Amino acid sequence: MMPILAKPAIMWSALAYLLVVVVIGWWAAQRTRNAKDFFIAGQGIGLVVTGLATMSAAFSGFVFIGGPGLTYRMGLASLFICIPVSFTAGLLCWVVAKRLRLLAGVREIYTVPDVILCRYRSRLASGLAAVAVIVGTVGYLGAQLRALGIMIEAIFGTRRLLGPWSLAIAIAIGLVIVVFYATAGGMVAGVYTDVFQGALMVGAAIAVFTAALASGGGLGSIAHSIAGSHRFGAGFLDPLGGGVPIFTAMGFFMVFAIGNLGQPHMLHKFFMLDDPRKLKWMPLVLGVTQTLCLLIWLGIGLAVPALVATGRLAPLANPDDASPQFLLHFVPEALAGAVFAGILAAIMSTADSFVNIGSAALVRDLPKAFGRRLRDELRWGRIAVVGVAVAAAVFAYLYGDLIALLGTFAFGTFGAALGPALAIGLNWRRVTAAAAAASIATGMGVSLVLEFLAKQTYFPALPKPPFAPGVLPAAVSLAASFTVLFAVTWVTARRQPPDIDDDVQLVMDL
Amino acid sequence: MARRLALLFVAVASPLILLLFALPWSGAQALFAVLVTAYPVALIVVAVSRRGRVGPLGIPLLLLLVLLEASTVAMLALRNRVLDAPWVAGLPLAAAIQLYGVWLAPLLLVVLAYALTFDRYEMRQEDLDRLLASTRHREDPP
């Protein structure tokens, strides 16, 4: 990463970006007066802002760095992670967004566990949902803060100045900026920085995609170079072949399509929309911006193997170097600066969303699960933001490998724990509170156990999960969570049909 | 009917997928691919059904299902035979199906279907009025 230091445009772009984020945070702080402002931006956000904020919260630095690296390693099969965006915006809107937004209009709902409590009237189910949110938040947020620290370290060259303390100080700098705007401006700051960050991500992705196609002489030339090379071969361009098990490729499709229905950092944004009728164009805004942003993954993911195949770039020792190598050697310095700022934006926009929902889970959802309510949620929310962020940063620094592991499966954990109870429960009245609680516990528990067994190296004697090669633990936990939801509903709904409040029932019927 | 079928599909497909993950059977992976492609469409049908019917969304959702399933089956059929098939728009056929058939075409279909049926089916003004009236009724003192 040292070459970044030799390119001052990258450092200045990053500084300018961080300055804009701080200014937005200061501006938003003037507009945050109560808990509703702090947690759901006063429910006064328009369509484009909500769409861009949802997109930028959903896409972390993985889209810019990890995604192209994964394509370099496993070919087009990796694209099954991003391809579901073709319909997930519609899936979200049809299956959950309308009902989430309408419920937030008739009840005081700020969080996903609030929705669970409202639908099932079960503090157990709501409390389990809050625990799932906190577990996933620590993983997701810790991974984002660590990635932020690594980026700051690389861009500003802090390692040369600070030696062994470099990463800790770089994480601390990122932490201070995120905590500043998330504490001061809450979700108002979160969504408006997300809009700025989302626009930056989309612009950078389009520009890099164009540069990537140009570097390889167009899509056809890139594909022929890859297919004709010994290193990659035709299998690279085979979506369901090339040595990648179908269970893995289509497992990506399953987890990243259906798992979307349980992502609190995305669902949370729907509570903020000022008018539910604006959902009409949400699939357009969300689907198109997601697709545009993913062009960077597709572009670098194809261009770098083609450049390696034609000998214009040395083979990568680490696939995650695909993006940095391409940006440093094949795009103009000013554009590279904007893209590095875009990577910071992708990381920080995801981090700020988790800081907010993590603090809401601590000061609102968990106390409610125990039948209590804090008196001043705004003040406690601000304190919790600091607590959640500092805890995640400390974990990220002390247990880097563990946090990376937690971060990679947080998406699957959220999907499996919260997806079935929301996707089926908000659309089928027979789902009982017991079924929702069992499904949430199953999704969270199976995900944690399987991911730990699959990736841990601490205890060599522990068995590996008993599944075929290539099966994703997140896909198992998602299927298990749906199975348990239906099974427990089948058993319990006969004994006692669910008791749903009239207004909630009306929202479910619409 | 559509809703019941969709619920039945999700309820049966979920444990079946778990079974496929553990079965030492050569067709398990292909069956998983076919099942999981239909899964999101089934969830949409469960959500949009009113009195068991999907109204004006019937044709778009059927098209979406056919598009996704046909693409998946075609990619399965072309598996490990990338260079035997023709190239389309700069890519081998299987890759072109993945990019254009599973990514771009459904995006267009979903965006249009959602927006064009929104006012008369997804969120009708009379439904919002009913909800508003119910909320007012709930807030009014007895």
Side-chain angles (χ1 to χ4, degrees):
Chain A
M1 292 295 246
M2 284 302 285
I4 293 179
L5 282 173
K7 294 178 182 275
I10 294 176
M11 195 178 73
W12 288 114
S13 301
L15 270 179
Y17 158 76
L18 293 173
L19 184 66
V20 171
V21 165
V22 169
V23 169
I24 293 174
W26 174 81
W27 170 83
Q30 323 299 312
R31 284 156 181 78
T32 300
R33 295 176 192 88
N34 52 43
K36 191 174 182 179
D37 292 338
F38 191 78
F39 291 122
I40 60 168
Q43 204 170 64
I45 303 298
L47 167 72
V48 175
V49 175
T50 308
L52 269 172
T54 310
M55 183 279 287
S56 58
F59 287 172
S60 64
F62 183 78
V63 167
F64 286 68
I65 304 278
L70 198 61
T71 301
Y72 182 88
R73 192 161 53 208
M74 64 192 294
L76 291 190
S78 68
L79 292 188
F80 281 108
I81 292 176
C82 40
I83 274 176
V85 299
S86 63
F87 60 83
T88 47
L91 179 74
L92 274 170
C93 288
W94 272 313
V95 178
V96 288
K98 177 178 87 171
R99 292 185 172 88
L100 293 182
R101 177 56 189 84
L102 291 178
L103 278 175
V106 298
R107 295 285 185 96
E108 189 193 73
I109 285 178
Y110 298 167
T111 64
V112 168
D114 273 346
V115 174
I116 301 279
L117 184 60
C118 179
R119 160 63 178 87
Y120 296 106
R121 299 172 70 179
S122 160
R123 295 209 308 247
L124 173 64
S126 172
L128 284 169
V131 172
V133 168
I134 291 168
V135 169
T137 294
V138 171
Y140 238 125
L141 183 59
Q144 298 308 310
L145 289 173
R146 190 171 172 85
L148 189 57
I150 291 169
M151 285 299 297
I152 288 174
E153 197 180 33
I155 292 172
F156 297 105
T158 53
R159 179 158 292 179
R160 193 184 275 177
L161 296 170
L162 304 165
W165 289 99
S166 168
L167 182 61
I169 291 172
I171 290 176
I173 292 168
L175 176 75
V176 166
I177 295 168
V178 172
V179 165
F180 165 73
Y181 74 79
T183 311
M187 205 26 99
V188 179
V191 291
Y192 284 103
T193 48
D194 283 357
V195 169
F196 166 64
Q197 289 160 337
L200 189 60
M201 287 158 65
V202 169
I206 294 171
V208 170
F209 180 68
T210 310
L213 288 189
S215 73
L219 190 58
S221 174
I222 287 173
H224 277 103
S225 301
I226 293 172
S229 75
H230 288 296
R231 177 176 290 274
F232 301 103
F236 185 96
L237 299 172
D238 188 350
L240 292 179
V244 178
I246 296 173
F247 277 146
T248 303
M250 293 308 287
F252 285 151
F253 181 90
M254 178 182 182
V255 171
F256 288 90
I258 301 160
N260 251 292
L261 297 166
Q263 302 305 313
H265 54 307
M266 297 173 71
L267 303 179
H268 194 198
K269 302 290 187 289
F270 295 120
F271 302 137
M272 304 172 195
L273 193 61
D274 56 359
D275 181 351
R277 284 168 298 190
K278 289 183 180 173
L279 281 172
K280 179 176 181 176
W281 298 108
M282 184 60 77
L284 175 72
V285 175
L286 183 55
V288 170
T289 53
Q290 283 183 317
T291 293
L292 290 175
C293 200
L294 287 168
L295 288 178
I296 195 165
W297 180 330
L298 179 65
I300 297 180
L302 288 176
V304 169
L307 292 166
V308 171
T310 53
R312 294 171 62 200
L313 188 66
L316 304 179
N318 177 3
D320 284 347
D321 286 341
S323 288
Q325 286 294 323
F326 182 79
L327 294 171
L328 290 171
H329 299 296
F330 294 93
V331 301
E333 190 178 331
L335 175 57
V339 178
F340 276 104
I343 297 171
L344 285 178
I347 296 169
M348 288 176 73
S349 57
T350 304
D352 71 50
S353 290
F354 277 105
V355 164
N356 194 284
I357 62 167
S359 90
L362 272 179
V363 305
R364 184 177 168 83
D365 300 328
L366 273 185
K368 278 171 83 175
F370 289 101
R372 292 169 185 272
R373 187 90 190 250
L374 296 181
R375 204 174 291 166
D376 186 351
E377 284 185 346
L378 176 61
R379 184 164 66 97
W380 284 109
R382 282 183 160 143
I383 293 170
V385 159
V386 180
V388 166
V390 170
V394 169
F395 273 112
Y397 181 69
L398 294 179
Y399 305 104
D401 292 344
L402 187 62
I403 276 292
L405 198 153
L406 275 171
T408 54
F409 73 79
F411 191 98
T413 306
F414 282 139
L418 305 174
L422 292 170
I424 302 294
L426 287 176
N427 294 295
W428 191 37
R429 64 162 293 141
R430 282 179 67 83
V431 182
T432 60
S439 164
I440 294 167
T442 301
M444 187 166 41
V446 173
S447 184
L448 288 170
V449 170
L450 289 184
E451 288 282 0
F452 183 75
L453 286 179
K455 293 175 183 161
Q456 68 90 21
T457 51
Y458 309 102
F459 308 103
L462 284 177
K464 291 288 175 193
F467 298 110
V471 169
L472 302 177
V476 177
S477 51
L478 194 55
S481 183
F482 271 103
T483 302
V484 166
L485 185 90
F486 280 105
V488 178
T489 295
W490 189 67
V491 172
T492 53
R494 290 177 173 190
R495 284 192 222 138
Q496 191 179 8
D499 185 15
I500 303 173
D501 290 337
D502 291 344
D503 55 339
V504 178
Q505 182 62 56
L506 183 55
V507 166
M508 290 172 64
D509 289 342
L510 293 182
Chain B
M1 184 67 175
R3 178 188 168 87
R4 279 190 180 187
L5 275 176
L7 270 171
L8 186 65
F9 174 84
V10 178
V12 172
S14 306
L16 188 56
I17 285 171
L18 284 177
L19 194 65
L20 292 174
F21 284 158
L23 271 185
W25 171 47
S26 60
Q29 300 213 38
L31 182 56
F32 167 67
V34 171
L35 282 176
V36 88
T37 304
Y39 208 109
V41 184
L43 288 175
I44 295 173
V45 171
V46 172
V48 302
S49 297
R50 290 181 179 191
R51 297 184 191 88
R53 292 163 182 262
V54 290
L57 282 167
I59 291 172
L61 290 179
L62 186 63
L63 274 176
L64 180 64
L65 180 65
V66 169
L67 187 60
L68 292 175
E69 285 293 359
S71 300
T72 302
V73 170
M75 285 187 290
L76 285 169
L78 291 166
R79 190 164 183 254
N80 297 329
R81 295 195 298 119
V82 169
L83 293 182
D84 300 340
W87 285 51
V88 177
L91 290 168
L93 184 57
I97 289 171
Q98 187 194 27
L99 285 192
Y100 306 121
V102 191
W103 194 342
L104 294 184
L107 177 66
L108 189 68
L109 179 63
V110 165
V111 164
L112 285 176
Y114 192 82
L116 294 177
T117 58
F118 188 86
D119 293 324
R120 64 191 168 105
Y121 189 75
E122 181 67 3
M123 200 175 288
R124 295 176 303 191
Q125 189 56 50
E126 62 257 39
D127 290 336
L128 289 176
D129 294 340
R130 260 172 67 206
L131 186 62
L132 196 64
S134 131
T135 313
R136 282 201 192 116
H137 177 72
R138 204 164 168 264
E139 285 168 355
D140 285 344

